[in-house]
Amino acid sequence: MVTERIYIEDKDHPKEAQLKKPAEILKNGGLVAFPTETVYGLGANALNEEAAKKIYAAKGRPSDNPLIAHIADFKDLPDLVLEVPEAGKKLMEAFWPGPLTLIFPKSRRVPYGTTGGLDTVAVRMPDHPVANALIRLAGVPIAAPSANTSGRPSPTTADHVCQDMNGKIEMIVDGGAVGIGVESTIIDVSGNEPMILRPGAITQEMASKVLGQEIRLDPAITSGPMSQEVKPKAPGMKYKHYAPKADLTLVEGEPEAVIGTINRLVKEKLSKGFQVGIICTEETKEHYHDGMIKSMGFRAKEETIAHNLYAVLREFDDLNADFIFSESFQDTHLGQAIMNRLTKAAGYHIIQTEKEKTL
Ligand code: TXA
Ligand code: MG
C-alpha cells in the first residue's frame, strides 16, 4: 500500500477541502494518522469492527488492548455510553476538549472489536483543530491509538508516524509537531470510585480539585514491574511500552550525585566500546562531557520535558545507542506522567544514588 501524506499549512485553521479525502477514507473503513494535542493517533471508524481490526494489524498490537473512541462534540457521547456518572460529568465539563480520556460503561453501538472485549469504552474529545475537523467531517467516532508500532515510543511528529506506518496505512495528515507530547490522562469513571489508569497532562492534582476529593492512581501503575497479583485496569499499561532499542537506566537522587553517577557509568560503558547516550536537562547539560548528550528541556518547565521525551528516545534509536542513562523527575504534577513513561521505557531499571554511596 502507498501511504499518501498531506500537509496542513495552518493547523489552527485547517481547510475543509483538504480534509475531505482523509474523512472519506475513515468513513469507508480505512486508516488515517492525524495529529492531536497529545500524540499522533492512528484513526479508524470506531463503529466498524473490521476497521478496528486493521489498526491492530498495522500496529502489531495485541487484540485485547482496547482503543479510545475520539469525538468532536458533546452530543456524540450518549450514543457510545450507557450512562454518564456524576464524576464523569464534572471531569468532562472541566477538561473537554482536552488531554483526558474517560472510561464509561459502553452502549451496544460500540463493537467489542473496539473495546478489546470489555463492557466499558474509553472516550476522548481532543483539543486540536485538525483532529476535531477531521472527526466532524468523517461523521463517526474515530478509534485512535497512538500511531506507533506497538512497543515503540508514541509519535509526536508526522515523520515519526512515517517511520512506523509507511506502507501500512492509507494516509498521514501532517499537522506539524504536537503540543503536549505524552498521551492523555485516562480516568475510569465506570466503577464506584473514579481512578487514574494512566497519568497525563490532566494531573492527579487537577482532577482531584474538580472532583472535590483526592483521586487515586491505579495501584498497578505505582507498584513497579507488573506482577501477576496487580493487573493494571488499562490493559495497555501492562505491556512494555515506549521502549527504546537501547538499554535505558534511570538515575535518581540528589542532582550532584546523579550527575556524578551518570558520568561514571557512561565512562565505564564507553571504555568497553559501547555507544552511550545521556538524557539530561538544560539546567544540567553542561556537567556532562562524554557520550551522546541530549537535553529534553527545562526541569523547571516540565511541559518542555514532556514535549521532547519521545522524540529524544527515537533519536537515540536512530543513533544506535547501546545504553542510555537518564536523569529522573519528581513524581507529582506533570512529572507523574513523565516518570510513568520513563520508568516503563527503562523496564523499571532505576539506580538510587544514595544507596550506591552507602554500598
Ligand atoms: O492521547 C491519547 O490518548 C492518544 C491520542 C491519539 O488520543 N491515544 C492513545 O491511545 O494513547 P492508545 O491506544 O495508545 O492508549 C489507550 C490506552 C491503552 O492503555 C488501553 O489499554 C486503555 O487506553 N483503554 C482503552 N479502553 C479502555 C477501557 N475500556 N478500559 C480500560 N482501559 C482502556
Ligand atoms: Mg499507545
Side-chain angles (χ1 to χ4, degrees), residues 224-257:
M226 297 305 168
S227 66
Q228 284 303 321
E229 295 90 70
V230 274
K231 282 226 170 67
K233 293 202 175 58
M237 299 299 279
K238 73 172 176 270
Y239 300 107
K240 187 184 172 193
H241 250 192
Y242 326 116
K245 290 179 195 155
D247 183 317
L248 170 65
T249 302
L250 301 189
V251 184
E252 271 183 358
E254 291 302 315
E256 270 182 31

Side-chain angles (χ1 to χ4, degrees), residues 4 22 68 70 90 100 108 125 128 136 161 170 172 181 199 206 210 226 242 303 310 314 325 336-337 347 352 357:
E4 191 181 341
I68 299 172
H70 294 66
K90 285 186 187 162
L100 173 68
R108 287 176 59 183
M125 189 191 292
H128 192 292
R136 269 192 202 111
V161 178
E170 276 83 356
I172 299 171
M206 289 159 77
V210 164
M226 297 305 168
Y242 326 116
E303 63 276 16
Y310 287 137
R314 276 180 183 259
F325 297 97
Q336 211 168 55
Q352 303 282 350
K357 270 193 292 184

Side-chain angles (χ1 to χ4, degrees), residues 27 45-50 52 69 71 75-83 105-115 118-121 123 138-143:
K27 218 184 288 180
N45 181 345
L47 303 178
N48 176 337
E49 205 147 18
E50 291 308 310
I71 57 173
K75 69 170 172 42
D76 296 329
L77 182 65
D79 217 26
L80 304 177
V81 303
L82 273 189
E83 53 157 343
K106 84 168 193 70
S107 73
R108 287 176 59 183
R109 275 210 82 188
V110 183
Y112 283 113
T114 299
T115 69
L118 298 175
D119 286 316
T120 51
V121 59
V123 187
V140 288
I142 301 297

Side-chain angles (χ1 to χ4, degrees), residues 156-217:
T156 54
T157 67
D159 280 345
H160 295 165
V161 178
C162 211
Q163 287 167 13
D164 288 9
M165 292 297 150
N166 198 25
K168 297 181 180 166
I169 63 178
E170 276 83 356
M171 189 183 265
I172 299 171
V173 178
D174 183 347
V178 302
I180 294 173
V182 291
E183 306 85 346
S184 62
T185 306
I186 302 178
I187 300 184
D188 186 355
V189 292
S190 70
N192 292 331
E193 179 197 344
M195 191 172 280
I196 297 180
L197 307 191
R198 177 173 76 182
I202 302 301
T203 63
Q204 186 177 22
E205 292 85 352
M206 289 159 77
S208 298
K209 198 167 167 206
V210 164
L211 292 172
Q213 67 181 77
E214 176 88 358
I215 181 169
R216 290 196 303 145
L217 253 71

Side-chain angles (χ1 to χ4, degrees), residues 39 59 61 65 145-148 152 154 183 198 241-242:
V39 299
K59 279 181 63 83
R61 175 176 172 122
N65 191 1
S146 47
N148 51 288
R152 291 212 72 202
S154 291
E183 306 85 346
R198 177 173 76 182
H241 250 192
Y242 326 116

Side-chain angles (χ1 to χ4, degrees), residues 8-10 13-20 137:
I8 307 295
E9 268 161 41
D10 179 358
H13 306 95
K15 294 199 182 83
E16 203 179 295
Q18 251 196 318
L19 293 177
K20 272 204 176 124
L137 274 178

